[in-house]
Amino acid sequence: MNIDLFDILRCPFCGGRFELVTSMFHQSIEDQILDGILGCHCCIFPVVDGIPVLHLQANAIAAREHIEAGHPALALRAMVGLEAGDQAERFEAAAASSTSTYRDIVESLGPGFEGGYFLYRFSDPTFIVANAVVRAVAGTVLQGRRRAVDICGGSGHLTRSLMDLSSPPPVLADLYFPKIWLGRRFTAPGCEPVCCDGNGPMPFARGAFGYAMCSDAFQYIWTKRLFVGELSRLVEGPEPGAVVINHTHNSLTWSPSHGQPLSPAGYRDLFEAIQPHVYAEAGLFADVVKGGPIELGRVDSPEALDGDPALTIVASQHPGVYRSHPIEAAPVTGEFRINPLYAVEAAGEELRLRLQFPNADYEDEYGAAKQYLPAEAMLRRDDLAALTAGQVPPALLDLVRRKVIVELPRRYY
Ligand SMILES: [Zn+2]
């Protein structure tokens, strides 16, 4: 962790500032704390492999004891959930290799870690809507001189969308340590990961951010009122900020992995200070499929809201938020590759791509992708070679727009 984080980190229990306990085991390089113990008025917490762990679940206690005993490698094992044995060694070997991909590390963590869908995340319908909303709202309120936080951000797929908008770099917060560890290394290099519990008070100072968001996770938070109160506290300040909740499920309409969602009216009632705008995801999705703009000035009918399995919530007093926004891609930092949802076969000087969903469950949940992913596409080999070299030939721009070609983090798979 960068020592500048001390300005915004606060104990979730006493609200006090932290300092590095220099009388205990610690390792630092220049302005980065690699391993150590942070102390506040009430408690001590570990920093494990550069990530502050600011909760008191069993793995965090075990990790703290390992750091106190001067064994940072064991602390990392405790936080990734691999205490001993072959699996832990596989993870450590993959983590130590500079050529490992995101997929290699995911596989080293074993079958219990994450479903295989991460490969397709950057083209799934949930992602493309959230990405457009995030870039529109964060771009408006941050203006490149305030900071964003992605809470319950998992391995940072949407934190990546904030990298050029947030200054200083965005914070990626999640309870699940291996995900934020992956996010920092692959998905959103340069972000600041913080391990904390979304069901408790947030370990950040009031007004530390201009933009706070939670995507595709709010339905799993039980303490929803506390959570919204906390996100609102984090963006309080003289300049208007924004709270955004992307893709939260709707208690009035069933969806896969339903969680404990509320109705649209229930979500509105969580917000005390600012009246939020609640959108049916289908309308925003249609905006994105037609190439924009994304219309945040829209007011969806009660029927549209009640009938949509997923909702987007935006709360801001910034005058530029509730209007039409062009859809703008982030600057390219990764590499363009053929979407792994396509099977590729040679056809002379060309390649024939065929859309193939990995299974029926995926198609059930993400089948709306067929509105932009064509069933078949042709690609010239020399265009593909240019793409691999980092150029997008004009002939491929439409395939990029339609997500047949996707920009992925380097060493993703
Ligand atoms: Zn404390």
Side-chain angles (χ1 to χ4, degrees):
M1 64 171 269
N2 190 299
I3 53 172
D4 289 346
L5 275 192
F6 283 125
D7 289 341
I8 61 165
L9 290 182
R10 297 291 183 274
C11 172
F13 306 111
C14 72
R17 294 180 72 104
F18 290 113
E19 55 185 40
L20 180 67
V21 183
T22 52
S23 60
M24 300 172 91
F25 175 82
H26 61 281
Q27 304 189 100
S28 308
I29 297 177
E30 295 172 355
D31 58 354
Q32 302 289 326
I33 298 171
L34 305 182
D35 300 284
I37 299 288
L38 304 181
C40 57
H41 300 301
C42 74
C43 212
I44 53 174
F45 299 90
V47 177
V48 179
D49 203 13
I51 301 179
V53 179
L54 304 178
H55 60 80
L56 298 174
Q57 297 202 357
N59 57 350
I61 305 288
R64 193 202 72 219
E65 290 169 353
H66 288 311
I67 296 282
E68 286 180 89
H71 299 303
L74 295 181
L76 180 59
R77 280 191 179 192
M79 288 314 300
V80 295
L82 304 169
E83 294 281 4
D86 291 354
Q87 195 82 58
E89 281 162 26
R90 269 203 292 282
F91 168 75
E92 282 169 355
S97 165
S98 62
T99 58
S100 288
T101 62
Y102 181 103
R103 178 190 229 169
D104 293 335
I105 306 256
V106 166
E107 287 175 354
S108 81
L109 288 165
F113 174 64
E114 186 174 19
Y117 294 167
F118 71 84
L119 271 184
Y120 320 118
R121 185 71 39 82
F122 289 103
S123 68
D124 81 37
T126 306
F127 177 85
I128 66 167
V129 172
N131 176 59
V133 172
V134 165
R135 295 209 42 93
V137 179
T140 301
V141 301
L142 295 176
Q143 297 292 323
R145 56 187 167 74
R146 298 166 80 193
R147 187 170 221 159
V149 61
D150 181 4
I151 295 173
C152 307
S155 40
H157 291 87
L158 281 161
T159 315
R160 182 176 179 80
S161 305
L162 293 164
M163 291 306 295
D164 64 310
L165 304 175
S166 172
S167 180
V171 169
L172 166 59
D174 201 284
L175 181 60
Y176 207 34
F177 185 95
K179 292 195 175 185
I180 56 179
W181 188 96
L182 280 163
R184 176 186 60 184
R185 177 157 168 173
F186 295 101
T187 332
C191 76
E192 285 284 354
V194 172
C195 188
C196 62
D197 183 358
N199 280 298
M202 290 293 139
F204 304 109
R206 182 178 301 273
F209 303 97
Y211 175 89
M213 76 171 185
C214 170
S215 295
D216 201 3
F218 191 47
Q219 62 269 10
Y220 309 119
I221 297 285
W222 183 244
T223 52
K224 291 186 177 61
R225 182 185 180 199
L226 173 70
F227 189 90
V228 167
E230 283 292 90
L231 266 59
S232 306
R233 180 180 68 81
L234 299 188
V235 302
E236 258 182 55
E239 281 187 78
V243 170
V244 171
I245 294 174
N246 294 295
H247 193 86
T248 187
H249 293 161
N250 181 352
S251 66
L252 303 179
T253 301
W254 182 86
S255 51
S257 50
H258 202 49
Q260 301 98 33
L262 303 181
S263 65
Y267 284 121
R268 276 204 186 86
D269 280 351
L270 295 169
F271 288 80
E272 293 178 305
I274 303 175
Q275 185 59 32
H277 284 221
V278 181
Y279 307 96
E281 196 173 279
L284 301 174
F285 177 67
D287 288 351
V288 177
V289 169
K290 72 177 166 58
I294 189 156
E295 183 50 76
L296 296 181
R298 63 163 28 93
V299 178
D300 286 328
S301 70
E303 295 73 28
L305 291 172
D306 290 354
D308 199 308
L311 304 166
T312 296
I313 305 168
V314 177
S316 179
Q317 288 177 321
H318 192 292
V321 167
Y322 300 123
R323 60 171 178 78
S324 193
H325 299 264
I327 294 180
E328 283 166 1
V332 174
T333 56
E335 53 193 0
F336 287 101
R337 297 179 69 173
I338 294 173
N339 187 328
L341 285 171
Y342 283 87
V344 182
E345 86 190 32
E349 282 306 293
E350 293 191 299
L351 298 171
R352 176 177 290 115
L353 313 185
R354 273 208 192 89
L355 180 61
Q356 255 175 20
F357 288 119
N359 55 48
D361 282 350
Y362 183 90
E363 189 163 1
D364 269 358
E365 192 165 354
Y366 300 109
K370 284 184 276 194
Q371 291 186 41
Y372 48 91
L373 295 176
E376 274 198 23
M378 299 299 287
L379 192 67
R380 290 178 52 86
R381 285 178 190 275
D382 48 359
D383 284 342
L384 181 64
L387 198 64
T388 313
Q391 301 281 323
V392 181
L396 297 190
L397 285 173
D398 193 52
L399 294 184
V400 171
R401 191 183 64 75
R402 297 192 69 173
K403 303 288 177 194
V404 177
I405 310 260
V406 278
E407 191 218 339
L408 298 177
R410 292 182 191 279
R411 288 180 287 119
Y412 194 54
Y413 75 98

